[in-house]
């Protein structure tokens, strides 16, 4: 087991490592089904691009990129990210991809999301976490709602995917709302 950064019951989150580029990770962004709900799969994704991204991710301070790993298998199944971390406004954008389709629907995304949002609110002292998802990405909409996120708006016809223009639905959660749902941490 690599060194976990955040650890849950069934999964742990760890830093991306160069060896991840030699596994299944680069193939996720070349899989139309994995990418049907995100802004990938417009151009081929290569091992070299993956290696470069992993190297850059190790130096980010306004972005936290972590691998999602089930404890049982030790396999890298997805990534979860806080992007555009703004320490003054105390906000960040949340993103997740589960690239290993055999693990879909098993609750790993929920547990990983709880670990990351706990960290966002209780360690990074953020006040708001937000995300956007395609109107067709029902799984991500359900995950956002599970995380106590509320629909905040819609960017109409903001993305072109699968030969059609789609809306992006915006979600957000405040620290207080997250605490009310999950009852963790301490009030400000």
């Amino acid at each position: 087991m690599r060194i976990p950064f955040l650890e849950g019951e069934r999964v742990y989150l760890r830093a991306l490592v160069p060896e991840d580029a030699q596994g299944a990770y680069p193939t996720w962004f070349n899989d139309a089904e994995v990418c049907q709900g995100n802004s990938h799969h417009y151009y081929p994704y290569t091992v070299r691009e993956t290696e470069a991204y992993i190297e850059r991710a190790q130096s980010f301070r306004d972005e936290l990129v972590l691998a999602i790993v089930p404890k049982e298998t030790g396999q890298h199944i997805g990534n979860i990210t806080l992007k555009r971390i703004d320490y003054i406004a105390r906000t960040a954008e949340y993103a997740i991809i589960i690239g290993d389709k055999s693990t879909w629907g098993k609750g790993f995304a929920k547990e990983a999301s709880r670990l990351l949002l706990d960290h966002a609110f209780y360690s990074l002292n953020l006040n708001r976490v937000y995300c956007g998802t395609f109107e067709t990405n029902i799984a991500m909409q359900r995950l956002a709602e599970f995380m106590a996120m509320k629909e905040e708006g819609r960017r109409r016809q903001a993305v072109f995917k699968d030969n059609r223009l789609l809306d992006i639905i915006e979600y957000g959660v405040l620290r207080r709302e997250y605490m009310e749902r999950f009852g963790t941490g301490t009030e400000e």
Side-chain angles (χ1 to χ4, degrees):
M1 178 162 103
R2 298 203 183 272
I3 299 171
F5 178 68
L6 301 172
E7 194 167 352
E9 234 178 87
R10 298 174 52 225
V11 302
Y12 65 89
L13 308 180
R14 63 161 172 79
L16 294 175
V17 293
E19 295 80 18
D20 290 329
Q22 306 312 312
Y25 177 20
T27 67
W28 302 340
F29 301 108
N30 292 317
D31 185 321
E33 187 178 11
V34 170
C35 295
Q36 83 185 92
N38 63 45
S39 296
H40 295 286
H41 200 261
Y42 292 106
Y43 299 96
Y45 194 71
T46 66
V47 170
R48 190 168 359 165
E49 286 176 288
T50 308
E51 291 168 339
Y53 178 75
I54 290 169
E55 188 172 326
R56 283 191 321 273
Q58 293 172 344
S59 65
F60 293 154
R61 287 299 169 249
D62 63 343
E63 195 165 312
L64 177 61
V65 183
L66 299 169
I68 302 169
V69 181
K71 290 180 177 181
E72 186 177 309
T73 65
Q75 296 299 309
H76 177 201
I77 64 163
N79 291 345
I80 192 164
T81 307
L82 288 175
K83 303 189 295 187
R84 296 178 185 86
I85 300 171
D86 182 331
Y87 293 103
I88 296 172
R90 296 174 52 207
T91 64
E93 180 180 359
Y94 155 87
I96 186 169
I97 185 167
I98 303 293
D100 181 343
K101 293 186 280 190
S102 72
T103 65
W104 287 2
K106 296 187 176 175
F108 296 128
K110 284 182 177 179
E111 185 174 344
S113 296
R114 283 285 320 276
L115 289 170
L116 188 67
L117 266 65
D118 279 357
H119 184 70
F121 292 125
Y122 306 125
S123 296
L124 299 179
N125 195 31
L126 298 182
N127 185 57
R128 180 175 178 271
V129 174
Y130 61 93
C131 70
T133 190
F134 298 172
E135 65 183 298
T136 54
N137 192 346
I138 304 304
M140 185 60 206
Q141 292 170 38
R142 288 183 181 144
L143 181 58
E145 290 165 0
F146 168 78
M147 298 306 299
M149 292 186 173
K150 298 188 181 349
E151 186 175 326
E152 296 181 331
R154 182 178 289 256
R155 288 187 278 156
R156 297 174 304 136
Q157 296 185 358
V159 68
F160 185 75
K161 190 73 171 196
D162 298 327
N163 200 32
R164 61 188 197 167
L165 289 165
L166 300 173
D167 293 356
I168 295 178
I169 303 171
E170 301 288 345
Y171 288 90
V173 62
L174 303 176
R175 176 184 166 127
R176 171 185 45 80
E177 295 165 337
Y178 183 82
M179 290 172 60
E180 286 170 3
R181 165 72 56 88
F182 295 107
T184 55
T186 57
E187 191 70 51
E188 298 175 12

